[in-house]
Amino acid sequence: MRDSGEFLFTSESVSEGHPDKVADRISDTVLDAFLAADPYARVACETLVTTNRVVLAGETRGPDTVTPDYLAHLARLAIHDIGYDQDGFSWRKAEIAVHLHAQSSDIAQGVDAEGNKDEGAGDQGIMFGYACDETEALMPAPIYYAHLILRRISELRRNKDLSVAGLLPDAKSQVTLRYVNGRPVGASSIVVSIQHEEGIEQEAVRAMVRPIVESSLPTGWMCPEHEFYVNPTGKFVIGGPDGDCGLTGRKIIVDTYGGAAPHGGGAFSGKDPTKVDRSAAYACRYLAKNVVAAELAARCTLQVSYAIGIAHPLSVYVDLHGTGRDVDEKKLERVLREAVNLSPRGLREHLRLNRAIYAPTAAYGHFGREPDEERGTFTWERTDLAPVLKQAFGR
């Protein structure tokens, strides 16, 4: 995203009832089940959802107590929690097939710690983290507000609020903001598509959604009325996995920064923390957020790279986009590497990732969320490293 001039930038979000997010939720539910039984279990679970059918596949290593029947039961509970009890996709009637098998021994021997060998990365790859001062959550504004709109609709729906009676779990939002001199100043257009019961007219859905959208944005940011689109096709009754097949890991831009920052390409859901696709992306966000929280820069992009079986990152790169406040980026790279052990084991321990904390991450973004100390979720959103960074740069 440019840091000067006037331009429009758009990000989208999808609700927990979107087919791909149903799949993500089930994959993370499987992961949580294994980590609850054994914090060092290995999981790579992919889920497919379609009309009254759920298929789980992938590789695991964990206790025999986590049986296929138990995982099918948990998947059914996840579908119930999302809110699906429709003819085409119901927590009661869906057929659930579990095709998980043992993790490859070839991968295990490279990843496992043994003797003097530290735990290695679960795969090669590049991971990015990003933060900026556009919102209190230090997230890009378009994705932040796209998530917020859908989260508020979901909260009302789950609480059976009459103001959203007839709205169903599947939904998408898209927020386009106008930037002046690199700062967001208001919305130029907003799209909300939301599944609804038969018989509800488009204008009625629009009347339900409009006040939620306007109250989710800063005062004066609402787009012009003719640029506010609700269910543009006119009808959205058939939705969820009955309307579109869903797969784990197909919403990686929704999960991260809405396109405002680079993405390494790896998905998150269903992967245990030895998979650096997930744990290192979380660590990069943690570091970038603390750089901005320490007021060392207004924007920070951080990249790391790994090789399978190798403990240390092959590279660490920091870009402050010209917003650094008397901060040398090369020194910052050294400081960050000294402040946090970026090996897979170091990331897991520093952010306490070997726990059953992942189901809440499956919808509305993995970043920009409030850390919950009691539940131990979203630890990578803490800003406890900011004082250390300030001290390192004499602030």
Coordinates of all heavy atoms in Angstrom, one line a residue, residues 70-106:
Y70 N -14.4 -39.5 17.8 CA -14.4 -38.3 18.6 C -14.2 -37.0 17.8 O -14.9 -36.0 18.0 CB -13.3 -38.4 19.6 CG -13.1 -37.2 20.5 CD1 -14.2 -36.8 21.3 CD2 -11.9 -36.5 20.6 CE1 -14.0 -35.7 22.2 CE2 -11.7 -35.5 21.5 CZ -12.8 -35.0 22.2 OH -12.7 -33.9 23.1
L71 N -13.4 -37.1 16.8 CA -13.2 -36.0 15.9 C -14.4 -35.7 15.1 O -14.8 -34.5 14.9 CB -12.0 -36.2 15.0 CG -10.6 -36.3 15.7 CD1 -9.5 -36.7 14.7 CD2 -10.3 -35.1 16.4
A72 N -15.1 -36.7 14.6 CA -16.4 -36.5 13.9 C -17.4 -35.8 14.8 O -18.1 -34.9 14.4 CB -16.9 -37.8 13.4
H73 N -17.4 -36.2 16.1 CA -18.3 -35.6 17.1 C -18.0 -34.1 17.2 O -18.9 -33.2 17.2 CB -18.2 -36.3 18.4 CG -18.9 -35.6 19.5 ND1 -20.3 -35.5 19.6 CD2 -18.4 -35.0 20.6 CE1 -20.6 -34.9 20.7 NE2 -19.4 -34.6 21.4
L74 N -16.7 -33.8 17.4 CA -16.3 -32.4 17.5 C -16.6 -31.6 16.3 O -17.0 -30.4 16.4 CB -14.8 -32.3 17.8 CG -14.3 -32.9 19.2 CD1 -12.8 -32.8 19.3 CD2 -15.0 -32.2 20.3
A75 N -16.4 -32.1 15.1 CA -16.8 -31.4 13.9 C -18.3 -31.1 13.9 O -18.7 -30.0 13.5 CB -16.4 -32.3 12.7
R76 N -19.1 -32.0 14.3 CA -20.5 -31.8 14.4 C -20.8 -30.6 15.4 O -21.7 -29.8 15.1 CB -21.2 -33.1 14.8 CG -22.6 -33.2 14.3 CD -23.2 -34.6 14.6 NE -22.6 -35.7 13.8 CZ -22.8 -35.9 12.6 NH1 -23.7 -35.2 11.9 NH2 -22.2 -36.9 12.0
L77 N -20.2 -30.6 16.5 CA -20.4 -29.6 17.5 C -20.0 -28.2 16.9 O -20.6 -27.2 17.2 CB -19.6 -29.9 18.8 CG -20.1 -31.1 19.6 CD1 -19.3 -31.2 20.9 CD2 -21.6 -30.9 19.9
A78 N -18.9 -28.2 16.1 CA -18.4 -26.9 15.5 C -19.5 -26.4 14.6 O -19.7 -25.2 14.5 CB -17.1 -27.1 14.8
I79 N -20.0 -27.3 13.7 CA -21.1 -26.9 12.8 C -22.3 -26.3 13.5 O -22.9 -25.3 13.2 CB -21.5 -28.1 11.9 CG1 -20.3 -28.5 11.1 CG2 -22.6 -27.7 11.0 CD1 -20.5 -29.9 10.4
H80 N -22.6 -27.0 14.6 CA -23.8 -26.5 15.5 C -23.5 -25.1 16.0 O -24.3 -24.2 16.0 CB -24.0 -27.5 16.6 CG -25.1 -27.1 17.6 ND1 -24.8 -26.3 18.7 CD2 -26.4 -27.2 17.5 CE1 -25.9 -26.1 19.3 NE2 -26.9 -26.6 18.7
D81 N -22.3 -24.9 16.5 CA -21.9 -23.6 17.1 C -22.0 -22.5 16.1 O -22.4 -21.4 16.4 CB -20.5 -23.7 17.7 CG -20.1 -22.4 18.4 OD1 -20.8 -22.0 19.4 OD2 -19.2 -21.7 17.9
I82 N -21.6 -22.8 14.8 CA -21.6 -21.8 13.8 C -23.1 -21.4 13.5 O -23.4 -20.3 13.1 CB -20.9 -22.3 12.5 CG1 -19.4 -22.4 12.8 CG2 -21.1 -21.4 11.3 CD1 -18.6 -23.2 11.7
G83 N -24.0 -22.4 13.6 CA -25.4 -22.1 13.4 C -26.0 -22.8 12.2 O -27.1 -22.4 11.8
Y84 N -25.4 -23.9 11.7 CA -26.0 -24.6 10.6 C -26.9 -25.8 11.0 O -26.4 -26.8 11.5 CB -24.9 -25.1 9.6 CG -24.4 -24.0 8.7 CD1 -23.1 -23.5 8.8 CD2 -25.3 -23.4 7.8 CE1 -22.7 -22.5 8.0 CE2 -24.8 -22.4 6.9 CZ -23.5 -22.0 7.0 OH -23.1 -21.0 6.2
D85 N -28.2 -25.6 10.7 CA -29.2 -26.7 10.8 C -30.2 -26.5 9.7 O -31.4 -26.4 9.9 CB -29.8 -26.7 12.2 CG -30.6 -27.9 12.5 OD1 -30.4 -28.9 11.7 OD2 -31.4 -28.0 13.4
Q86 N -29.7 -26.4 8.5 CA -30.5 -26.2 7.3 C -30.6 -27.5 6.5 O -29.8 -28.5 6.7 CB -29.8 -25.1 6.4 CG -29.6 -23.8 7.1 CD -28.7 -22.9 6.4 OE1 -28.4 -23.1 5.2 NE2 -28.3 -21.8 7.0
D87 N -31.5 -27.6 5.6 CA -31.7 -28.8 4.8 C -30.5 -29.2 4.1 O -30.1 -30.4 4.1 CB -32.9 -28.6 3.8 CG -34.2 -28.5 4.5 OD1 -34.4 -29.0 5.6 OD2 -35.2 -28.0 3.8
G88 N -29.8 -28.3 3.5 CA -28.6 -28.6 2.7 C -27.3 -28.7 3.5 O -26.3 -29.3 3.0
F89 N -27.3 -28.3 4.8 CA -26.1 -28.5 5.6 C -26.5 -28.3 7.1 O -26.9 -27.3 7.5 CB -25.0 -27.4 5.3 CG -23.7 -27.7 5.9 CD1 -23.0 -28.8 5.4 CD2 -23.2 -27.0 6.9 CE1 -21.7 -29.1 6.0 CE2 -22.0 -27.3 7.5 CZ -21.2 -28.4 7.0
S90 N -26.5 -29.5 7.7 CA -27.0 -29.5 9.1 C -26.1 -30.3 10.0 O -25.5 -31.3 9.6 CB -28.4 -30.3 9.1 OG -28.8 -30.6 10.5
W91 N -25.9 -29.8 11.2 CA -25.0 -30.5 12.1 C -25.6 -31.8 12.5 O -24.8 -32.7 12.9 CB -24.8 -29.6 13.4 CG -26.0 -29.4 14.2 CD1 -27.0 -28.5 14.1 CD2 -26.4 -30.2 15.4 NE1 -28.0 -28.6 15.1 CE2 -27.6 -29.7 15.9 CE3 -25.8 -31.3 16.0 CZ2 -28.3 -30.2 17.0 CZ3 -26.5 -31.8 17.2 CH2 -27.7 -31.3 17.6
R92 N -26.9 -32.0 12.4 CA -27.5 -33.3 12.7 C -27.3 -34.3 11.6 O -27.0 -35.5 11.9 CB -29.0 -33.1 12.9 CG -29.4 -32.0 13.9 CD -30.9 -31.8 13.9 NE -31.3 -30.6 14.6 CZ -31.6 -30.5 15.9 NH1 -31.6 -31.7 16.6 NH2 -32.0 -29.4 16.4
K93 N -27.4 -33.9 10.4 CA -27.5 -34.9 9.3 C -26.3 -35.0 8.4 O -26.2 -36.0 7.6 CB -28.7 -34.4 8.3 CG -30.0 -34.4 9.0 CD -31.1 -34.0 8.0 CE -31.0 -32.6 7.5 NZ -32.1 -32.2 6.6
A94 N -25.3 -34.1 8.6 CA -24.1 -34.2 7.7 C -23.4 -35.5 7.9 O -23.2 -35.9 9.0 CB -23.2 -33.0 8.0
E95 N -22.9 -36.1 6.8 CA -22.1 -37.2 6.9 C -20.6 -36.8 7.1 O -20.2 -35.9 6.3 CB -22.2 -38.1 5.6 CG -23.5 -38.7 5.3 CD -23.5 -39.5 4.0 OE1 -22.5 -39.8 3.5 OE2 -24.7 -39.7 3.5
I96 N -19.9 -37.3 8.0 CA -18.6 -36.9 8.4 C -17.6 -38.1 8.2 O -17.8 -39.1 8.9 CB -18.5 -36.3 9.8 CG1 -19.5 -35.1 9.9 CG2 -17.1 -35.9 10.1 CD1 -19.6 -34.5 11.3
A97 N -16.7 -37.9 7.3 CA -15.7 -38.9 7.0 C -14.3 -38.5 7.5 O -13.9 -37.3 7.2 CB -15.6 -39.3 5.6
V98 N -13.6 -39.3 8.3 CA -12.3 -38.9 8.8 C -11.2 -39.8 8.2 O -11.2 -41.0 8.3 CB -12.3 -39.1 10.4 CG1 -10.9 -38.7 10.9 CG2 -13.4 -38.2 11.0
H99 N -10.4 -39.2 7.4 CA -9.3 -39.9 6.7 C -7.9 -39.3 7.1 O -7.1 -38.9 6.3 CB -9.5 -39.8 5.2 CG -10.7 -40.3 4.7 ND1 -11.0 -41.7 4.6 CD2 -11.9 -39.7 4.2 CE1 -12.2 -41.9 4.1 NE2 -12.8 -40.7 3.9
L100 N -7.7 -39.3 8.4 CA -6.4 -38.8 8.9 C -5.5 -40.0 9.1 O -5.9 -41.1 9.6 CB -6.6 -38.1 10.3 CG -7.4 -36.8 10.2 CD1 -7.8 -36.3 11.6 CD2 -6.6 -35.7 9.5
H101 N -4.2 -39.8 8.8 CA -3.3 -41.0 9.0 C -2.0 -40.5 9.6 O -1.8 -39.3 9.9 CB -3.0 -41.6 7.6 CG -2.4 -40.8 6.6 ND1 -1.0 -40.5 6.5 CD2 -2.9 -40.0 5.6 CE1 -0.8 -39.7 5.5 NE2 -1.9 -39.4 4.9
A102 N -1.0 -41.4 9.9 CA 0.2 -41.0 10.6 C 1.1 -40.1 9.8 O 1.2 -40.2 8.6 CB 1.0 -42.3 10.9
Q103 N 1.8 -39.2 10.5 CA 2.7 -38.3 9.9 C 3.9 -39.0 9.3 O 4.3 -40.0 9.8 CB 3.3 -37.3 10.9 CG 4.2 -36.3 10.4 CD 4.9 -35.5 11.5 OE1 5.4 -36.1 12.4 NE2 5.0 -34.2 11.3
S104 N 4.4 -38.5 8.2 CA 5.5 -39.1 7.5 C 6.7 -39.2 8.4 O 7.1 -38.2 9.1 CB 5.9 -38.3 6.2 OG 7.2 -38.6 5.8
S105 N 7.4 -40.3 8.5 CA 8.6 -40.5 9.3 C 9.7 -39.7 8.7 O 10.6 -39.2 9.5 CB 9.0 -42.0 9.4 OG 9.2 -42.5 8.1
D106 N 9.7 -39.4 7.4 CA 10.8 -38.6 6.8 C 10.7 -37.2 7.3 O 11.7 -36.5 7.5 CB 10.6 -38.7 5.3 CG 11.0 -40.0 4.7 OD1 11.5 -40.8 5.4 OD2 10.7 -40.2 3.5

